[in-house]
Amino acid sequence: MGTQNTRTQTKTRARRRPRWAALAAAAAVTLGTGLVAAPPTHAAEDPVEVVVDGDDVRAENVNGLTYKGLGVLSCNSTTNLLMDYKAEHPERYWQLVRVLFGGGNPLVNHVKVEMGSDTNTSTGADPATMRTRDELADASRSPGFQLAADAKTVNPKLKVSILRWEMPRWVQLEWNKGTGTDEMYRWYKETILDVHEKYGYMIDYVDPDKNETRTPDIPFVKWYKNAVVNDTDFADERYGIPARAREAVARAYHRIKIVASDENNTLNMGPAMLSDADLFGIVDAAGYHYTTEDRREGAVDSPTYLPYTKLATGDNTYGQDKEVWYSEGTGSFGYTDYRVNNTEGPDGASTGIGGVQSALDIANRLVKSYANSKRTHYIFQPAIGSFYEGAQYSHKELVSARDPWSGHLHYDAALYVMQQFTGFARTGWENDTNTAGIWRTVPEASYSGVSGTENLDGSNGAPSYMTLADPGKKDFSTVVVNDSDQPKTYRIKAENLRLGRDRTMEVWETRAADAGQRYDANFKRLADEIGPGADGAYTYTVKPRSITTLTTLDRSADASTKQRLPESGERTVLDTDGSGKRGDTRDTYLYADDFAYEEEGRVKVGRTLQPYLASRGNQPRYMVDQTGAWEVGGDGVLYQYMDQSMKDTGAWNRNTPNTTVGDFRWENYKASVDVSFPDPEGGLAALGVRQQKGMSISDAAYNLRIGPDGAWTFYEYGTARARGEVAAAGGYRLAVEAKGAQVTAYVDGEAVAVYDDPTPQTEGRVKLGSDFHRTGFDNLKVETIDGYTPYAGAQLDNMDSAIAYEGAWSRKASLGDAMDWYRSTSTSATAGASFTVPFRGTGVDVIGGNDGSAVLDVYVDGELVARDSKTAVADKRLATYTLRGLPEGKHRVKFVLKSGTLVLDAFNTFSASRTAGGRADTAPVRRALAETAAPERGAYTAASWDVFARAAAAAKSAVAGRAGLDTVGAEQLASRLRTAYEQLVRKEDAAR
């Protein structure tokens, strides 16, 4: 038999006692581990035997084995742009809320909010709800609380929890002295009560400790719980609680539960709970991060041997079960629809929806973290990626929501994989009377032998399965993950279950498409219906690289189970009129913001309507903060408020304040903004352009900085290229214009620096920055430049199915770098290897981190247009080769590697459909034509002449006024003409 019952004690579990102090005197019981023995060694073709025994379904275990499903973590800017989706495309936002939180089988049952401190603790900064001790708490600054309020409209039973990583300076000053418990409590309490007053719900769980601590602060956890239980102060006018509501608020507040300690791999809280009766009674849920494993130290009956398993099963000294969470884990890395084109399988085959860091990897994390440490809740960090790409840890989510102006949302196939768990069980938290019917996990019918503890590799073909059953023992579902290249047969035998007369089992499957099928053809589909054999066992062979749910539920006619995820929609570039609100591709604006938002209407929050700025805690539109307190003041000016009194808070990524806005595809534009210095202690203001990645002001490729004394510095990234002074003033109008390789900085309309970059970064967003002084920003404008195409119209990933590869290529997605688009790259060092990019437009950029060794031949629509073209040394997300100046239309550009190594990440394409006013400057083309005039055709080889003739014809067409040509394209035509002229080969030389 593949599994066996290792429990030696009675299944009767003690109900939780009302006073945790009594636990110290609890009688000792015989300890069991709740472990599941590994299936015996077997050949790959032998079936995996699983016994689902109704006697193993522990209906009385209401905390540890109830399957709570999935959660989403909102923190460090990951959900910032969601509020813009809500304002700009409310129908798409509320559809997202329904997809994630709604329905009879919600995918997500919990929103966890990591309270911000205006500092960057990962991908960016979330605002502090209280920046000073005396400031009234404002939970509306943090998008997570509002997301939870909106989720509760479709899932009223949704749980909400909070924790901290760092803390506001006023708390930290006292905390560092060892006297800050009151300040910490005040910050928590006033935030919790403000959430209640603004959104109408009470926080369910609090972790009082620091996120990812290695040394749990057990004294403070105890102190905090005692403070919550004994707090009687709800009348303070700061809380804004009406007298008639105070008693009810107090009751709800006193019911707040404790989760601890959000460790990352150290696993100290479990043993502490088993060793300390008081702590055991206080902590309701034990959570930790980024490992599937329990702790295994000491004797079997020691608190350091399988402590979390003992907590979850109730097989412990106290005879009570506790919740155990995977309280922070990743989503799938990259986009599944791209990574299916990898070559990481045997003999260069694809791993489909599987492989390390794939959707199946995440599924295995759910299974293995349950099998090995009995965790029944997995919280994604993040489930929703709603911050700009290029920040740390991008592309590891289930839903990508990064273009609120377009409404584009990418729903990854990993959602279907997760629905294989949540769609075939009743998930959530059991109620006080144990009548909610939440399904129990069954340890004896769950196991995982895949490799790894965080990034899981299922290619070893080991069994990996988890069983969920309803507490009434009428139905069950076994979820099987096969992330290997071989099929695997399972035999599932049901015993002591009340399955009824119809014992049919449905088989629901998610895997990659077969040849000739559409991409999602095999996502969450009914693959089969099977009955038991003569011996009562259900036998099914699970396909390679798939997840399969075998369930006794009848879902074949259920519309919600068959529901497909919404289409992503077009990912259009940010291009508005002068209001910044309405799309307009015909004027000279790309974007503008006066921070007054008079054009905005009211916004739905939960079940209420609120004014635009009030609904979002005065946070500006489309901006993602990396560091600092960025907020619109009552005078309609954007201020960075984090000053000298607030600056020395902890941060993982320590930077001066900066925020990002715009589209990564913007290329040639002029950004300008008014800056002011209301802080009498000083100040500095910065404006940057062409930011692609990174989280500081110096990550904008070109940035201008100035102080109230008039001293300015112009930087390329963090290197000063020019300095100077203007008259001291209380404010200035800053501008940076980037067109092609030339960048010009302006102060109050006067050019103060011109820089011609020999290796330019050509595309990216706008950044605003300051130092730690209150600084004002107003009237932001991003405008086009005459004669220059303002942006790339589209991007294709290197793994996009439209890209055709020939020859030897390594196409990798597993363990990919976050600075590569979608964490994937295609690499070749083999001469003759080629790739073909189809597009409509006038040019294409080849993007990828490269050493400049690659030499290419370039064919456009079958004709060689550039021979032995050198690539540039390029950082990630930057262009290593650009091809511009083509006639507008459909093209297929083929690149052939002649020598060197080439790394491909993505391809940006350009079109004449959005050209700036004015004609392109064709003077470089005219000069090139003059320099290369009248070579004698008969003197040169046909091959070299053909390339030259095509370049000359294109140059002459440009001079004649070809429609759609921009200045960058004209410069490239001139360069290609000169190169083709230099590469002409005389016949007598070829004959030697």
Side-chain angles (χ1 to χ4, degrees):
M1 185 178 295
T3 61
Q4 55 185 310
N5 187 346
T6 63
R7 286 183 291 130
T8 59
Q9 69 176 76
T10 177
K11 294 179 181 178
T12 302
R13 297 287 180 267
R15 298 289 294 171
R16 180 171 179 177
R17 299 172 187 175
R19 296 181 59 83
W20 60 76
L23 291 169
V29 297
T30 303
L31 285 174
T33 64
L35 273 178
V36 179
T41 302
H42 59 276
E45 62 271 15
D46 288 346
V48 179
E49 303 283 349
V50 181
V51 176
V52 182
D53 189 338
D55 290 343
D56 293 330
V57 179
R58 308 187 200 182
E60 74 286 355
N61 185 309
V62 297
N63 299 307
L65 298 184
T66 47
Y67 192 60
K68 298 149 200 75
L70 307 175
V72 54
L73 176 55
S74 175
C75 61
N76 42 69
S77 83
T78 56
T79 52
N80 278 21
L81 294 173
L82 275 185
M83 298 302 98
D84 296 303
Y85 272 89
K86 178 191 283 196
E88 307 304 321
H89 292 274
E91 73 290 347
R92 295 286 282 164
Y93 173 84
W94 288 101
Q95 181 183 52
L96 171 66
V97 169
R98 292 192 297 272
V99 167
L100 292 185
F101 304 103
N105 293 86
L107 184 73
V108 177
N109 289 317
H110 175 197
V111 173
K112 175 180 176 180
V113 180
E114 189 176 291
M115 295 196 296
S117 59
D118 298 315
T119 61
N120 189 322
T121 49
S122 184
T123 51
D126 262 16
T129 55
M130 293 175 68
R131 293 187 174 122
T132 66
R133 177 184 178 86
D134 295 327
E135 182 184 32
L136 293 178
D138 187 356
S140 65
R141 293 170 178 163
S142 179
F145 294 123
Q146 187 169 156
L147 175 64
D150 294 339
K152 279 179 171 288
T153 66
V154 297
N155 184 0
K157 295 180 180 179
L158 178 105
K159 301 296 184 183
V160 185
S161 69
I162 63 171
L163 83 164
R164 63 179 172 90
W165 193 335
E166 303 301 343
M167 61 195 88
R169 179 62 174 163
W170 64 275
V171 179
Q172 187 166 351
L173 283 172
E174 296 303 318
W175 191 260
N176 291 348
K177 300 175 186 176
T179 58
T181 53
D182 288 342
E183 285 76 13
M184 187 73 75
Y185 183 78
R186 179 173 186 166
W187 178 37
Y188 282 0
K189 177 183 178 180
E190 296 196 17
T191 298
I192 291 169
L193 295 181
D194 192 60
V195 168
H196 185 271
E197 291 308 296
K198 282 189 167 72
Y199 301 119
Y201 64 84
M202 183 59 68
I203 298 297
D204 298 288
Y205 291 83
V206 173
D207 182 350
D209 208 347
K210 182 176 180 177
N211 180 55
E212 297 196 345
T213 179
R214 303 186 72 85
T215 54
D217 191 344
I218 291 171
F220 182 64
V221 171
K222 292 181 177 180
W223 182 94
Y224 180 84
K225 176 65 174 183
N226 183 68
V228 168
V229 170
N230 292 296
D231 196 336
T232 59
D233 177 17
F234 296 92
D236 192 312
E237 63 181 14
R238 291 178 58 84
Y239 309 149
I241 305 172
R244 65 182 182 279
R246 288 171 191 159
E247 185 177 344
V249 171
R251 285 198 303 270
Y253 186 82
H254 293 152
R255 287 196 297 267
I256 289 174
K257 295 183 177 181
I258 300 298
V259 56
S261 58
D262 281 280
E263 295 171 76
N264 188 358
N265 285 282
T266 49
L267 310 184
N268 290 317
M269 180 55 72
M273 291 174 65
L274 293 176
S275 304
D276 183 334
D278 190 42
L279 183 66
F280 184 93
I282 286 171
V283 177
D284 301 279
Y288 56 99
H289 304 177
Y290 299 117
T291 178
T292 57
E293 301 308 293
D294 206 332
R295 191 166 169 176
R296 295 170 182 264
E297 299 170 16
V300 171
D301 61 352
S302 72
T304 54
Y305 189 82
L306 298 175
Y308 296 94
T309 296
K310 292 170 182 173
L311 288 173
T313 60
D315 297 338
N316 55 60
T317 303
Y318 312 114
Q320 296 185 27
D321 55 279
K322 293 285 186 176
E323 300 178 36
V324 183
W325 299 356
Y326 199 129
S327 54
E328 181 178 322
T330 64
S332 57
F333 287 60
Y335 280 12
T336 300
D337 42 350
Y338 291 150
R339 71 176 293 145
V340 295
N341 293 318
N342 67 44
T343 59
E344 296 171 320
D347 301 319
S350 167
T351 60
I353 65 171
V356 176
Q357 297 184 335
S358 68
L360 293 186
D361 174 346
I362 305 305
N364 268 326
R365 297 184 201 205
L366 269 64
V367 174
K368 191 171 184 179
S369 66
Y370 175 71
N372 286 18
S373 50
K374 302 301 174 285
R375 283 182 282 177
T376 55
H377 187 38
Y378 187 100
I379 302 174
F380 289 99
Q381 202 297 86
I384 308 167
S386 199
F387 59 101
Y388 291 130
E389 300 100 330
Q392 187 167 258
Y393 300 131
S394 50
H395 296 305
K396 62 164 190 176
E397 64 271 342
L398 306 182
V399 181
S400 180
R402 293 183 161 94
D403 294 351
W405 48 86
S406 70
H408 170 90
L409 288 163
H410 178 266
Y411 292 88
D412 195 80
L415 286 163
Y416 288 115
V417 172
M418 294 301 104
Q419 288 173 347
Q420 297 272 168
F421 294 89
T422 63
F424 301 95
R426 177 171 291 182
T427 64
W429 276 256
E430 190 52 83
N431 60 24
D432 292 339
T433 57
N434 196 11
T435 56
I438 303 303
W439 282 31
R440 271 42 169 190
T441 53
V442 185
E444 295 75 14
S446 304
Y447 172 80
S448 181
V450 300
S451 300
T453 61
E454 180 186 354
N455 296 314
L456 302 188
D457 184 355
S459 62
N460 63 3
S464 188
Y465 56 92
M466 180 168 69
T467 298
L468 311 171
D470 82 82
K473 306 181 183 181
K474 294 181 179 180
D475 285 294
F476 73 93
S477 299
T478 298
V479 185
V480 178
V481 185
N482 181 13
D483 194 7
S484 77
D485 296 296
Q486 300 298 320
K488 184 164 288 295
T489 299
Y490 281 75
R491 281 171 40 85
I492 302 175
K493 192 170 184 179
E495 298 178 351
N496 300 313
L497 292 167
R498 298 184 293 117
L499 299 181
R501 296 180 61 185
D502 182 4
R503 300 174 69 85
T504 302
M505 177 172 275
E506 294 181 354
V507 181
W508 290 81
E509 173 190 74
T510 294
R511 60 185 176 87
D514 296 324
Q517 290 183 318
R518 61 171 287 154
Y519 164 70
D520 63 350
N522 298 321
F523 290 169
K524 203 181 65 168
R525 70 182 188 97
L526 181 61
D528 205 348
E529 296 187 52
I530 59 176
D535 62 352
Y538 299 87
T539 302
Y540 188 77
T541 299
V542 177
K543 293 181 175 64
R545 304 293 182 180
S546 71
I547 181 171
T548 300
T549 304
L550 298 104
T551 181
T552 60
L553 294 171
D554 182 3
R555 293 297 174 86
S556 59
D558 181 62
S560 62
T561 303
K562 296 180 178 180
Q563 181 68 43
R564 312 315 289 167
L565 294 173
E567 296 293 329
S568 296
E570 185 179 0
R571 193 173 189 186
T572 55
V573 180
L574 177 57
D575 188 350
T576 73
D577 62 9
S579 72
K581 175 70 172 175
R582 292 175 292 276
D584 189 339
T585 60
R586 296 170 297 178
D587 65 359
T588 61
Y589 284 94
L590 293 182
Y591 184 61
D593 197 340
D594 62 6
F595 305 106
Y597 302 119
E598 294 176 353
E599 70 279 2
E600 296 285 357
R602 295 170 73 82
V603 177
K604 182 181 178 183
V605 178
R607 300 186 184 281
T608 67
L609 291 175
Q610 297 181 11
Y612 178 80
L613 275 174
S615 75
R616 52 197 289 134
N618 296 310
Q619 304 299 292
R621 180 171 56 202
Y622 296 164
M623 289 190 173
V624 176
D625 301 344
Q626 301 300 336
T627 297
W630 298 85
E631 194 168 305
V632 177
D635 54 357
V637 174
L638 173 64
Y639 290 101
Q640 194 295 112
Y641 286 100
M642 200 172 191
D643 60 18
Q644 295 292 301
S645 70
M646 307 174 191
K647 71 172 184 175
D648 292 321
T649 53
W652 190 8
N653 299 307
R654 189 174 295 277
N655 287 303
T656 55
N658 69 99
T659 189
T660 308
V661 64
D663 199 302
F664 69 91
R665 293 162 291 192
W666 284 350
E667 180 169 284
N668 300 298
Y669 60 88
K670 182 178 183 179
S672 59
V673 68
D674 293 330
V675 299
S676 57
F677 307 98
D679 192 331
E681 299 298 318
L684 181 78
L687 171 66
V689 301
R690 291 182 175 173
Q691 180 270 345
Q692 274 290 352
K693 60 187 179 68
M695 298 179 290
S696 71
I697 187 61
S698 61
D699 289 311
Y702 312 101
N703 56 92
L704 175 64
R705 310 177 202 181
I706 196 169
D709 60 357
W712 59 265
T713 307
F714 174 74
Y715 290 85
E716 179 195 11
Y717 294 111
T719 301
R721 297 297 184 186
R723 300 180 188 274
E725 291 184 5
V726 296
Y732 305 95
R733 179 80 183 165
L734 303 184
V736 181
E737 178 185 71
K739 54 182 184 181
Q742 187 178 88
V743 184
T744 306
Y746 299 84
V747 177
D748 291 338
E750 297 293 325
V752 295
V754 179
Y755 178 60
D756 289 293
D757 193 341
T759 56
Q761 175 172 327
T762 56
E763 295 169 347
R765 307 178 186 90
V766 168
K767 266 190 175 291
L768 304 178
S770 74
D771 62 2
F772 289 100
H773 292 89
R774 184 181 178 189
T775 309
F777 298 83
D778 202 4
N779 298 313
L780 173 67
K781 294 181 181 180
V782 185
E783 299 171 277
T784 61
I785 300 171
D786 282 353
Y788 287 83
T789 300
Y791 49 72
Q795 183 184 86
L796 292 170
D797 190 66
N798 75 93
M799 291 278 193
D800 195 291
S801 297
I803 311 300
Y805 289 85
E806 296 180 65
W809 290 91
S810 174
R811 309 184 66 195
K812 298 293 186 181
S814 296
L815 303 172
D817 193 308
M819 292 303 104
D820 291 318
W821 285 101
Y822 311 109
R823 294 179 178 259
S824 67
T825 53
S826 296
T827 304
S828 183
T830 303
S834 69
F835 59 99
T836 301
V837 183
F839 68 96
R840 175 183 289 276
T842 61
V844 60
D845 285 359
V846 179
I847 295 170
N850 278 276
D851 61 9
S853 65
V855 176
L856 306 172
D857 281 351
V858 183
Y859 296 80
V860 177
D861 303 325
E863 295 185 332
L864 182 63
V865 299
R867 177 186 287 111
D868 294 334
S869 296
K870 295 180 179 179
T871 55
V873 176
D875 200 356
K876 293 175 182 291
R877 296 189 182 243
L878 304 187
T880 189
Y881 185 83
T882 63
L883 177 69
R884 306 288 182 88
L886 303 181
E888 175 69 27
K890 284 186 176 181
H891 298 290
R892 291 182 63 83
V893 179
K894 182 177 182 179
F895 300 86
V896 180
L897 182 62
K898 299 290 289 296
S899 62
T901 299
L902 183 64
V903 180
L904 303 177
D905 184 8
F907 310 96
N908 282 357
T909 65
F910 298 81
S911 174
S913 62
R914 180 39 159 137
T915 55
R919 294 174 60 86
D921 181 3
T922 57
V925 185
R926 291 194 297 273
R927 288 194 295 270
L929 283 168
E931 294 168 8
T932 61
E936 185 179 344
R937 176 175 183 174
Y940 302 99
T941 62
S944 66
W945 180 263
D946 287 347
V947 175
F948 171 74
R950 292 185 192 111
K956 292 174 183 176
S957 174
V959 171
R962 191 178 72 207
L965 181 70
D966 77 338
T967 299
V968 172
E971 291 170 349
Q972 282 215 4
L973 288 173
S975 177
R976 289 204 293 273
L977 177 58
R978 288 192 179 94
T979 299
Y981 181 77
E982 293 168 358
Q983 291 177 338
L984 283 171
V985 178
R986 290 188 174 275
K987 290 180 178 178
E988 60 267 28
D989 293 335
R992 291 174 184 169

